[in-house]
Amino acid sequence: MSAQNCPHIVIVGAGFGGLSGVRSLKDADVRITVIDRRNYHLFQPLLYQVATAGLSPADIAYPIRGALSRQKNTRVFLAEAVAVDVDTRKVILRDGETEYDYLILATGARPSYFGHPEWEVYAPGLKGVEDALEIRRRILLAFEKAERETDEARRRALLTFVVVGGGPTGVELAGAIGEIACKVIVGDFRAINPRDARIILVEAGSRVLPSFPEDLAAKAEASLKRLGVEVRKNSAVTAIQPGVVVICDERIAAATVVWAAGIIASPLAQSIGVPLDRTGRVLVEPDLSVPGHPEVCVIGDLAAIADHTGRPLPGLAPVAIQQGRHAALNILRRCRGLSGTPFHYLDRGILATIGRASAVANFGAIRLSGFVAWVAWIFIHIFFLIGFRNRFVVLFEWAWAYATLQRSARLITGEGGRMLLPPP
Amino acid sequence: MSAQNCPHIVIVGAGFGGLSGVRSLKDADVRITVIDRRNYHLFQPLLYQVATAGLSPADIAYPIRGALSRQKNTRVFLAEAVAVDVDTRKVILRDGETEYDYLILATGARPSYFGHPEWEVYAPGLKGVEDALEIRRRILLAFEKAERETDEARRRALLTFVVVGGGPTGVELAGAIGEIACKVIVGDFRAINPRDARIILVEAGSRVLPSFPEDLAAKAEASLKRLGVEVRKNSAVTAIQPGVVVICDERIAAATVVWAAGIIASPLAQSIGVPLDRTGRVLVEPDLSVPGHPEVCVIGDLAAIADHTGRPLPGLAPVAIQQGRHAALNILRRCRGLSGTPFHYLDRGILATIGRASAVANFGAIRLSGFVAWVAWIFIHIFFLIGFRNRFVVLFEWAWAYATLQRSARLITGEGGRMLLPPP
């Protein structure tokens, strides 16, 4: 452990941004406290595969302590940060508080229901392991209930799945549900044909994957249609009730609704007392610090910052990773009496996958789709996973799923959230 | 699907016994309905490894539908059977009922608290995936809380783990907790030394593993002691309160208590209206049928039956598997107007493992212990797992854990069951 008079850096949140920050300080003569309300780092981009029974939570999670056990200047606190007092330089925890000299806030975002928090119980979003398992439970349970349902209208509602939001998460979820219905479980039932399942992807904008070039978005949409997914563009969800989704004016009876339509920054941002954008993110300075508080940096999904063309940076893992490193190095500069340098994002591209053996990728000069993009998607995701064990197991699971059309985690667990059906 | 006039066999419970029964009827001209309240078959002998973060639930579970999808004479109902009406030949479900011509009951057993059901909340037992994840949560959370605890007495209570019951499950659990504390997480903490954890295995009888020969039990006990486990024999738990276990007259402050002391048969047995033994099991006829109802068979942990020496058969997977097959064949005999034949158990041996690279095995003529027994234990367990994927992943997890001393599923998930500490 370093001496007591070396600076104490507190990093709240051990996602892509926080973990990248703490690792960049590996050899620095500082004391670091990492605070997270979970004991694991979660590989969020693959969470939809947990929700669709393809992977287990442990495959995409890594214990934060395990990742940092050899970094002797760092301790880890399992604790929930509820506020930051920038004047007294304290992070307020649910069960205590901790002082800091420098602070990196990286607590990310969670699903936003656009002023309708009451929709959450009917349409869970993908924010953590528990939500993913609840979505998995609802998807699998819907087929089970349909198998035993004798009323035709209720059976149809049980076999209707609505995914709200046509961004990468919504597209990947809808594609995976389509694959389950058309391929994975197709021979498992006697009374129903899972291929009769109706999967609807609802997008308020004029196309899916708005962050991708138009030709790739069109290819993604074609892939979704091949998996039997109905894509409803220019369609807003106006109400969600038990077992019913209202799209524009049409009432659709659907037992399973998943929310992937928008996110809002973690409420921790509000406690800093600085201006936020309309999704609750901190409008940071070019060097990622908070206006008026150079000792506080905000990164990842919690930070609002534009690239050199003035376009806001997207909420992606590479942005958070680069920001975490940059914030850490800026703090080391400040420790030496220097000022922070502005952050520049190096955009290496974006990818999304649509079911088995199909994806779209935009690497700027190179645009890929289909099988080649899917292979690129696989290796980039494996590369960013933490730990050899997780890489090996996930690669094996994908190879296995590719060869057998099976998904390894078809378990209905937990008791929460009953099945919702429209009132008879 | 077979004709409507061929006999309808209902099998309740898709554990080792039920699944063995249905598979034995693969080519029979019968209609089969398999009823289970879970959508997966669970490999119960490895559940303690889920509770101790070594495996994920999906590694030891297999979807019942997937296992039976090609068996076209069989349909699967996800439903909870609450009673049997042997007079009208109906199984009453929580949400319906189903008639049968022949019935196999294989709903197993669950933890028994010897008249103290109020202990369950403080000392969960290992009955299903949810319990295993709750136990995992408590074990991992105890170390996390201890790391942040400043009061010495509370920290000691957080680092005290009590396992009640010295049978195979208790021995395997205590060994695995010892291994976590001494090996897996030993470099991960800064304020505590996980090796200071106190792990107590409480057994009311005069030795651990009463179903094993005395010399093997002594070897198991020595292995436990090497992992730092305190073995308390001839010691009864007389009370469990929040954060406190009373062993004989000694009050031990312990935040984590796990129950592995006894089981009681599923309450379904009571509804049949025939004599039960004192653990609620049906006293079946030699052919596994229920007295007075040759069309109803009871197998596995739900059945009480003695071997040829008069000793009651143990609640082990091989017993259930052989009984499932035997009950199925007896039903086919009855379909042809013949009477059932008596069941004889072919005992191939028993095994238990104690932490890494150590086990005991009794194959009758051959008794093994240490590394050789552990290798036997591994291959026998892999052999009985369902599905190539599960076999491969579990074998990989064990090889990985052996090589790296890591455990792959160190996730604290779920919100249930707060941490219990003795009142200050």
Side-chain angles (χ1 to χ4, degrees):
Chain A
M1 191 67 76
S2 310
Q4 284 297 310
N5 61 354
C6 73
H8 182 212
I9 303 175
V10 172
I11 299 177
V12 186
F16 288 109
L19 213 50
S20 153
V22 59
R23 285 179 158 180
S24 306
L25 296 168
K26 188 158 62 99
D27 301 314
D29 190 22
V30 294
R31 289 178 299 129
I32 305 170
T33 301
V34 175
I35 297 171
D36 200 293
R37 64 200 177 93
R38 299 291 178 192
N39 78 322
Y40 50 85
H41 165 80
L42 186 66
F43 193 83
Q44 202 100 26
L46 291 178
L47 193 56
Y48 82 96
Q49 297 217 355
V50 173
T52 52
L55 295 174
S56 285
D59 299 339
I60 60 162
Y62 199 91
I64 299 166
R65 279 187 198 290
L68 300 174
S69 71
R70 290 191 204 152
Q71 189 164 331
K72 295 300 177 197
N73 62 0
T74 302
R75 61 178 181 174
V76 178
F77 272 9
L78 179 75
E80 189 177 357
V82 292
V84 175
D85 186 333
V86 286
D87 297 325
T88 59
R89 299 197 177 177
K90 276 180 189 164
V91 178
I92 316 300
L93 310 174
R94 190 164 296 289
D95 55 355
E97 56 178 44
T98 187
E99 294 185 4
Y100 62 82
D101 297 314
Y102 296 94
L103 177 66
I104 299 179
L105 287 179
T107 49
R110 53 204 181 109
S112 158
Y113 289 83
F114 305 135
H116 289 281
E118 73 279 10
W119 291 356
E120 186 171 5
V121 60
Y122 311 127
L126 257 187
K127 66 174 180 291
V129 165
E130 286 80 5
D131 310 281
L133 295 179
E134 172 62 18
I135 292 170
R136 179 179 85 181
R137 205 183 71 82
R138 292 188 189 197
I139 293 171
L140 298 176
L141 195 53
F143 288 103
E144 294 290 338
K145 296 264 183 195
E147 172 81 350
R148 291 186 56 209
E149 181 60 63
T150 49
D151 177 80
E152 187 48 34
R154 290 171 66 87
R155 184 185 282 186
R156 251 204 322 271
L158 283 164
L159 290 178
T160 303
F161 301 83
V162 177
V163 177
V164 187
T169 302
V171 165
E172 292 178 327
L173 267 172
I177 298 172
E179 201 173 82
I180 290 175
C182 295
K183 296 182 179 158
V184 179
I185 60 171
V186 83
D188 286 3
F189 292 84
R190 301 291 178 259
I192 61 165
N193 182 350
R195 283 206 178 95
D196 295 340
R198 186 178 179 202
I199 301 142
I200 305 171
L201 179 66
V202 189
E203 165 59 38
S206 62
R207 61 182 177 100
V208 299
L209 300 181
S211 57
F212 282 71
E214 208 144 338
D215 57 328
L216 289 183
K219 283 184 176 154
E221 195 179 319
S223 295
L224 283 173
K225 284 180 178 160
R226 272 195 298 278
L227 288 166
V229 177
E230 248 177 87
V231 181
R232 299 271 190 110
K233 292 172 290 189
N234 300 308
S235 300
V237 167
T238 52
I240 304 182
Q241 295 146 6
V244 176
V245 180
V246 184
I247 302 173
C248 302
D249 289 327
E250 188 189 354
R251 290 174 64 84
I252 295 179
T256 312
V257 187
V258 185
W259 188 263
I263 56 169
I264 190 158
S266 145
L268 205 60
Q270 296 164 17
S271 70
I272 311 175
V274 290
L276 310 176
D277 77 355
R278 71 186 168 81
T279 61
R281 297 180 303 172
V282 178
L283 297 159
V284 294
E285 302 283 0
D287 67 351
L288 303 173
S289 70
V290 166
H293 287 281
E295 75 282 6
V296 180
C297 290
V298 178
I299 60 173
D301 285 357
L302 198 66
I305 187 170
D307 67 9
H308 58 279
T309 67
R311 252 178 38 144
L313 288 179
L316 293 174
V319 174
I321 290 169
Q322 293 178 30
Q323 289 182 338
R325 194 163 46 223
H326 193 83
L329 299 179
N330 268 351
I331 286 173
L332 291 185
R333 285 178 61 89
R334 284 187 208 283
C335 290
R336 298 199 308 271
L338 304 169
S339 60
T341 60
F343 172 73
H344 296 294
Y345 175 51
L346 176 60
D347 185 356
R348 291 212 173 84
I350 46 175
L351 306 99
T353 176
I354 312 106
R356 174 173 172 258
S358 179
V360 290
N362 180 23
F363 301 123
I366 307 168
R367 292 179 188 176
L368 302 175
S369 64
F371 187 79
V372 181
W374 184 67
V375 172
W377 180 91
I378 284 183
F379 283 98
I380 288 168
H381 281 75
I382 292 291
F383 178 80
F384 279 104
L385 269 173
I386 294 184
F388 173 79
R389 181 262 167 206
N390 286 5
R391 288 176 187 161
F392 180 86
V393 171
V394 170
L395 203 53
F396 170 77
E397 295 288 8
W398 287 345
W400 182 248
Y402 182 75
T404 65
L405 294 173
Q406 285 305 313
R407 294 176 91 86
S408 68
R410 278 169 52 198
L411 272 56
I412 299 176
T413 53
E415 317 284 342
R418 297 154 300 108
M419 208 65 228
L420 295 165
L421 279 174
Chain B
M1 190 68 74
S2 310
Q4 284 297 312
N5 61 355
C6 73
H8 181 213
I9 303 175
V10 172
I11 298 178
V12 187
F16 288 109
L19 213 49
S20 153
V22 61
R23 285 179 158 179
S24 306
L25 296 167
K26 189 157 61 98
D27 301 315
D29 190 21
V30 294
R31 290 178 299 128
I32 305 171
T33 301
V34 174
I35 297 172
D36 200 294
R37 64 199 178 93
R38 300 292 177 191
N39 78 322
Y40 50 85
H41 164 81
L42 186 66
F43 192 83
Q44 201 100 25
L46 291 178
L47 193 56
Y48 83 96
Q49 297 215 355
V50 173
T52 51
L55 295 173
S56 284
D59 299 338
I60 60 162
Y62 199 91
I64 298 166
R65 279 187 197 290
L68 299 173
S69 73
R70 287 190 207 152
Q71 189 163 332
K72 296 299 177 197
N73 63 0
T74 302
R75 61 178 180 173
V76 177
F77 272 9
L78 179 74
E80 188 177 358
V82 293
V84 176
D85 186 333
V86 286
D87 297 325
T88 59
R89 298 196 179 180
K90 276 180 189 164
V91 177
I92 315 300
L93 310 174
R94 191 164 296 290
D95 55 354
E97 57 179 44
T98 188
E99 293 185 5
Y100 62 83
D101 298 312
Y102 296 94
L103 177 65
I104 298 179
L105 287 179
T107 49
R110 52 201 181 110
S112 158
Y113 289 83
F114 304 135
H116 288 282
E118 74 279 10
W119 293 355
E120 186 171 4
V121 60
Y122 311 127
L126 257 187
K127 66 174 179 292
V129 165
E130 287 80 5
D131 311 280
L133 295 179
E134 172 62 17
I135 292 170
R136 179 179 85 180
R137 206 184 70 82
R138 292 188 189 197
I139 293 170
L140 298 176
L141 195 53
F143 287 104
E144 294 290 338
K145 296 265 181 194
E147 172 82 349
R148 291 187 57 209
E149 181 60 64
T150 49
D151 178 80
E152 188 46 36
R154 290 171 67 87
R155 184 185 284 186
R156 251 202 323 270
L158 283 164
L159 290 178
T160 302
F161 301 83
V162 176
V163 177
V164 186
T169 303
V171 164
E172 291 177 328
L173 267 172
I177 299 172
E179 201 173 82
I180 290 175
C182 295
K183 295 182 180 159
V184 178
I185 59 171
V186 83
D188 286 3
F189 292 83
R190 301 290 179 257
I192 60 165
N193 182 351
R195 284 207 178 96
D196 293 340
R198 186 178 177 200
I199 301 142
I200 305 172
L201 178 67
V202 190
E203 165 59 37
S206 60
R207 61 183 178 100
V208 298
L209 300 181
S211 57
F212 282 70
E214 207 144 337
D215 57 328
L216 289 182
K219 283 184 176 152
E221 195 180 320
S223 296
L224 284 173
K225 285 182 177 158
R226 273 195 296 278
L227 287 167
V229 177
E230 248 176 87
V231 181
R232 299 272 189 110
K233 291 173 290 189
N234 300 308
S235 300
V237 167
T238 52
I240 305 182
Q241 295 146 7
V244 176
V245 180
V246 184
I247 302 174
C248 302
D249 289 328
E250 188 189 356
R251 289 174 67 83
I252 295 178
T256 312
V257 187
V258 185
W259 189 262
I263 57 169
I264 190 158
S266 144
L268 204 60
Q270 296 163 18
S271 71
I272 311 176
V274 290
L276 310 176
D277 78 354
R278 72 188 166 80
T279 61
R281 297 181 302 173
V282 177
L283 296 158
V284 293
E285 301 283 359
D287 68 351
L288 301 174
S289 70
V290 166
H293 287 281
E295 75 282 6
V296 180
C297 290
V298 178
I299 60 172
D301 286 357
L302 199 66
I305 186 170
D307 66 10
H308 58 280
T309 67
R311 253 178 38 145
L313 287 179
L316 294 174
V319 174
I321 290 169
Q322 293 177 30
Q323 288 182 339
R325 192 162 47 223
H326 192 83
L329 299 180
N330 268 352
I331 285 173
L332 291 186
R333 285 178 61 88
R334 285 187 208 282
C335 289
R336 296 201 308 271
L338 304 170
S339 60
T341 60
F343 172 73
H344 296 293
Y345 175 51
L346 177 60
D347 184 355
R348 290 212 174 84
I350 46 174
L351 307 98
T353 177
I354 312 106
R356 173 172 172 257
S358 178
V360 290
N362 179 23
F363 301 123
I366 307 168
R367 292 180 188 176
L368 302 175
S369 63
F371 187 79
V372 181
W374 184 66
V375 172
W377 180 91
I378 284 182
F379 283 98
I380 288 169
H381 281 74
I382 292 291
F383 178 80
F384 279 105
L385 270 173
I386 295 183
F388 173 79
R389 181 263 167 207
N390 286 5
R391 288 177 187 160
F392 180 86
V393 171
V394 170
L395 202 53
F396 170 77
E397 295 288 6
W398 287 344
W400 181 248
Y402 181 76
T404 65
L405 292 174
Q406 285 305 314
R407 294 176 91 85
S408 68
R410 278 169 53 197
L411 272 56
I412 299 175
T413 54
E415 319 282 343
R418 297 153 300 109
M419 208 65 227
L420 295 165
L421 279 174

